[in-house]
Amino acid sequence: GKYLDGAITRGLKSHREHDSTIKRRESLIRHLQKIFSTRFKGCDLQAFGSSQTGLNLRNGDVDLCLIIDSKDSRKLLKRMRGILNDQGMEDIITIPRARIPIVKFRDPRSGFEVDIAINNSLAVHNTKLLKSYSECDPRIKELILTVKYWALQRAICDAYEGTFSSYAWTLMAIAHMQIIEPNLAPNLQLSEQREEVKIGKIVYDITVSNQITPGDSKCTTGELLAGFFDRFARGWDWQNDVISIANGGSISRKEKGWKFANPGAIEVMEAADEGEELPMGYHHLSIEDPFDKEHDLCRVVRPEGELTIRDELLRAARMVAEGKPFAKICEVVRPERFKNEQPEDLFHDLRTLKEHEIQSKLDNITSEIDTLTTRMDALEN
């Protein structure tokens, strides 16, 4: 796996967020906070997820949590949809029946895909936990970002499409390091000082240890990545084990109480080919949420998604064993998925224009600015 190190470093550097992207995201979040605070009295819109942990890739999604006193999620999402539509947002989708109601949309001005979850305050505590892990050792952050980048490129990093979420891949990466190198990624949920929070009617243990000691592992990120692929492609007992960073990487299904229920993905897909519809059994690629211990992150995975995840892990493990280049391992699947990404070069549309064409554009923009300034002065008066 050492041969991958240089390519991983270059790859992560090329997909690091530019300052302009960070500013666009912050501006969008402030804009949304202002909109919802004026529409819903007493609400609080908080950012969580990879943009807050530093575990984000270029053009990643914006994850937000709307804390609001509302008992009718369907009615709330319908109202939010109207507000977002008035703001010019695109591709608005509401998911009222999900475990956590969500509204998804795209902001055409910034290019960001946005998810707003309703009353998912536990996610804010999860963000704190993952941020603490990322600060334990630089290799933890590097491995998580590399795994997420690979999964994104291979189209297996979208819970809405029936594969693992970015969060699930992050937990898998941490679990792998906890098992192979406990000194590198210690269990941060072990502490004598416990902290609890009540959300709704449920009390959660949200303890995150502040006692972070640097690990003495000599493993490189490339070696950790090679081990990650090999572990979850060939060395993980999906039938009997559950991924659990709260338990140091894994916990047995018997202890957890999560049975590998039938039918499996293959049986469901074979039945579908014959025109029969079967609901897939629970707990196949099980990943325990570190705080909400009853939540299995694989519950969103569809039969096709499960088989694709398994196939992609095997493909990656085989290619690493054969010494294939990192770029080939992460070769993009369905490149049209990235058509809405914002170009990082602010001058990409000017380089092919002649000087008089650029001057014409400038004159038009200057005129528009003068018109807007006049309009703003009138509104202020």
Side-chain angles (χ1 to χ4, degrees), residues 285-346:
L285 307 180
S286 286
I287 304 175
E288 176 195 72
D289 186 276
F291 292 142
D292 185 358
K293 302 291 183 64
E294 298 306 312
H295 177 41
D296 184 354
L297 272 71
C298 85
R299 68 190 301 169
V300 299
V301 177
R302 299 173 195 159
E304 303 91 334
E306 178 180 331
L307 296 179
T308 304
I309 289 169
R310 298 291 296 270
D311 286 346
E312 287 294 339
L313 285 165
L314 283 167
R315 171 187 175 273
R318 184 179 66 252
M319 293 181 78
V320 170
E322 294 171 354
K324 299 292 184 184
F326 182 65
K328 193 69 177 174
I329 296 169
C330 298
E331 188 174 15
V332 68
V333 173
R334 306 201 319 269
E336 69 275 5
R337 292 179 295 127
F338 303 111
K339 67 180 184 299
N340 290 325
E341 285 191 358
Q342 289 284 307
E344 293 301 332
D345 181 3
L346 295 176

Side-chain angles (χ1 to χ4, degrees), residues 55-68:
L55 298 170
N56 54 321
L57 296 166
R58 191 178 69 197
N59 296 309
D61 294 349
V62 176
D63 293 310
L64 302 172
C65 169
L66 181 68
I67 306 297
I68 185 170

Side-chain angles (χ1 to χ4, degrees), residues 146-377:
T146 305
V147 167
K148 286 173 62 172
Y149 170 68
W150 162 78
L152 184 66
Q153 294 290 95
R154 300 303 298 171
I156 50 173
C157 191
D158 191 336
Y160 185 66
E161 291 191 354
T163 59
F164 277 152
S165 63
S166 168
Y167 178 51
W169 287 113
T170 298
L171 296 183
M172 286 178 68
I174 294 172
H176 168 63
M177 287 181 283
Q178 285 180 325
I179 294 168
I180 195 172
E181 293 285 348
N183 291 331
L184 175 63
N187 187 344
L188 296 184
Q189 291 178 258
L190 296 178
S191 175
E192 292 183 3
Q193 299 280 337
R194 310 309 295 178
E195 183 181 357
E196 294 182 339
V197 63
K198 188 174 183 180
I199 301 175
K201 297 180 180 180
I202 303 175
V203 176
Y204 296 98
D205 185 333
I206 57 166
T207 302
V208 179
S209 174
N210 295 320
Q211 308 265 324
I212 300 175
T213 55
D216 56 0
S217 168
K218 304 301 180 186
C219 279
T220 68
T221 304
E223 289 173 325
L224 289 168
L225 180 66
F228 174 89
F229 288 140
D230 189 64
R231 176 181 303 282
F232 293 113
R234 294 187 280 246
W236 187 262
D237 188 352
W238 292 104
Q239 292 278 348
N240 296 303
D241 290 328
V242 173
I243 293 168
S244 169
I245 69 169
N247 200 53
S250 70
I251 187 171
S252 71
R253 286 183 180 275
K254 186 175 181 180
E255 184 178 350
K256 184 65 188 169
W258 287 355
K259 294 181 180 179
F260 191 99
N262 290 320
I266 294 175
E267 290 82 3
V268 172
M269 293 187 70
E270 286 177 345
D273 290 339
E274 296 174 4
E276 185 182 357
E277 188 174 333
L278 286 178
M280 193 167 77
Y282 295 130
H283 306 305
H284 285 209
L285 307 180
S286 286
I287 304 175
E288 176 195 72
D289 186 276
F291 292 142
D292 185 358
K293 302 291 183 64
E294 298 306 312
H295 177 41
D296 184 354
L297 272 71
C298 85
R299 68 190 301 169
V300 299
V301 177
R302 299 173 195 159
E304 303 91 334
E306 178 180 331
L307 296 179
T308 304
I309 289 169
R310 298 291 296 270
D311 286 346
E312 287 294 339
L313 285 165
L314 283 167
R315 171 187 175 273
R318 184 179 66 252
M319 293 181 78
V320 170
E322 294 171 354
K324 299 292 184 184
F326 182 65
K328 193 69 177 174
I329 296 169
C330 298
E331 188 174 15
V332 68
V333 173
R334 306 201 319 269
E336 69 275 5
R337 292 179 295 127
F338 303 111
K339 67 180 184 299
N340 290 325
E341 285 191 358
Q342 289 284 307
E344 293 301 332
D345 181 3
L346 295 176
F347 313 108
H348 71 286
D349 60 337
L350 303 179
R351 298 195 187 284
T352 57
L353 299 182
K354 295 179 181 178
E355 188 173 344
H356 73 275
E357 293 174 319
I358 294 176
Q359 186 61 49
S360 177
K361 276 181 170 285
L362 178 60
D363 291 342
N364 289 335
I365 291 172
T366 302
S367 176
E368 289 175 6
I369 290 174
D370 290 341
T371 302
L372 282 171
T373 301
T374 302
R375 177 66 174 154
M376 289 171 66
D377 289 341

Side-chain angles (χ1 to χ4, degrees), residues 18-54:
H18 290 234
D19 290 342
S20 60
T21 305
I22 295 171
K23 288 178 181 177
R24 284 205 314 270
R25 182 195 296 110
E26 291 174 348
S27 176
L28 173 60
I29 292 173
R30 285 196 301 271
H31 176 61
L32 292 171
Q33 286 172 333
K34 186 175 181 180
I35 290 168
F36 286 110
S37 64
T38 57
R39 301 296 197 285
F40 301 111
K41 188 177 180 181
C43 78
D44 185 17
L45 190 65
Q46 301 178 20
F48 69 92
S50 57
S51 65
Q52 305 302 303
T53 61

